[in-house]
Amino acid sequence: MAIDRRTLLADTALGVLADQGIRGLTHRAVDRAAALPEGTTSAYFRTRSALLTAVVRRLVELDQAELRRAAERLPPPRTPAELVDGLAALARQRLGGEGRRRSLARAACAVESVRDPELREILQPRENPGRDAVRRLLAAHRVPDVETRTLTLLACFDGLVLDALLAGGRPEVARASLEGLVVAALRP
């Protein structure tokens, strides 16, 4: 399947952001990384803000696709232990290979979104099968305020992944930490 030029540039920019950080994300760096003539990226994304917005949109698109694929492969968790297993698998995915690069880019985009309302809006939590599975498990355990608990659990999960990235790129999140999140989410 052929990939369109905008997607190719957004994917390349995502890689540049992961490898070089926010300051390394330039039109010229993306042109070089994509092995395209100088000026190609700026022809598609006129400003740095437009380029960063494209990266964030692509990141969200890739994350949503990842969660949909996981939901197709795995049955929804029925027990707290199954939820911990699912979170552990997702953490490993987000801390290794391309998932690690996307996690690095996601962290840089999150920091940048503090000053950019458009980026913040794009990065808002989205409905997806993973979120639905967490919500259903918490509802089945009759926890109060399922929506808030779901968002809190997932935000804390993201924090544990970020912590693992910051701590020298650990390849996984400690199972005890994930168990603690699930136990806290299930408290009456």
Side-chain angles (χ1 to χ4, degrees):
M1 178 170 114
I3 189 167
D4 71 273
R5 183 64 57 98
R6 284 182 170 279
T7 303
L8 170 71
L9 291 169
D11 285 344
T12 303
L14 208 157
V16 169
L17 179 58
D19 295 340
Q20 300 177 31
I22 196 73
R23 293 178 74 170
L25 180 64
T26 65
H27 290 87
R28 202 171 278 174
V30 175
D31 289 340
R32 280 192 301 269
L36 293 169
E38 190 172 307
T40 302
T41 302
S42 64
Y44 285 86
F45 305 108
R46 297 296 305 155
T47 64
R48 188 169 192 284
S49 177
L51 179 59
L52 189 55
T53 298
V55 168
V56 172
R57 287 187 192 286
R58 182 64 175 153
L59 181 62
V60 169
E61 180 183 327
L62 291 169
D63 284 350
Q64 292 292 90
E66 172 187 62
L67 292 168
R68 280 191 303 276
R69 283 190 307 274
E72 290 167 2
R73 282 190 327 268
L74 303 168
R78 296 177 316 271
T79 66
E82 288 177 355
L83 178 56
V84 170
D85 291 342
L87 291 172
L90 181 58
R92 281 190 301 277
Q93 199 168 331
R94 295 231 165 142
L95 291 169
E98 280 304 306
R100 181 180 189 284
R101 293 180 84 218
R102 276 207 333 267
S103 291
L104 290 167
R106 188 181 305 105
C109 291
V111 170
E112 204 60 27
S113 76
V114 169
R115 291 174 204 77
D116 187 327
E118 183 180 5
L119 295 182
R120 195 167 43 250
E121 176 63 29
I122 298 166
L123 285 170
Q124 287 297 312
R126 299 270 188 277
E127 290 299 316
N128 60 62
R131 187 171 166 185
D132 291 341
V134 171
R135 187 185 292 119
R136 279 193 305 274
L137 180 92
L138 296 181
H141 283 79
R142 303 189 194 291
V143 301
D145 198 1
V146 169
E147 189 60 29
T148 299
R149 297 267 183 116
T150 298
L151 292 175
T152 300
L153 184 146
L154 295 175
C156 291
F157 169 80
D158 288 341
L160 289 171
V161 170
L162 177 61
D163 182 62
L165 283 171
L166 295 175
R170 286 192 314 257
E172 62 185 47
V173 171
R175 186 169 183 86
S177 297
L178 296 172
E179 289 168 346
L181 288 182
V182 171
V183 166
L186 289 171
R187 280 196 188 114

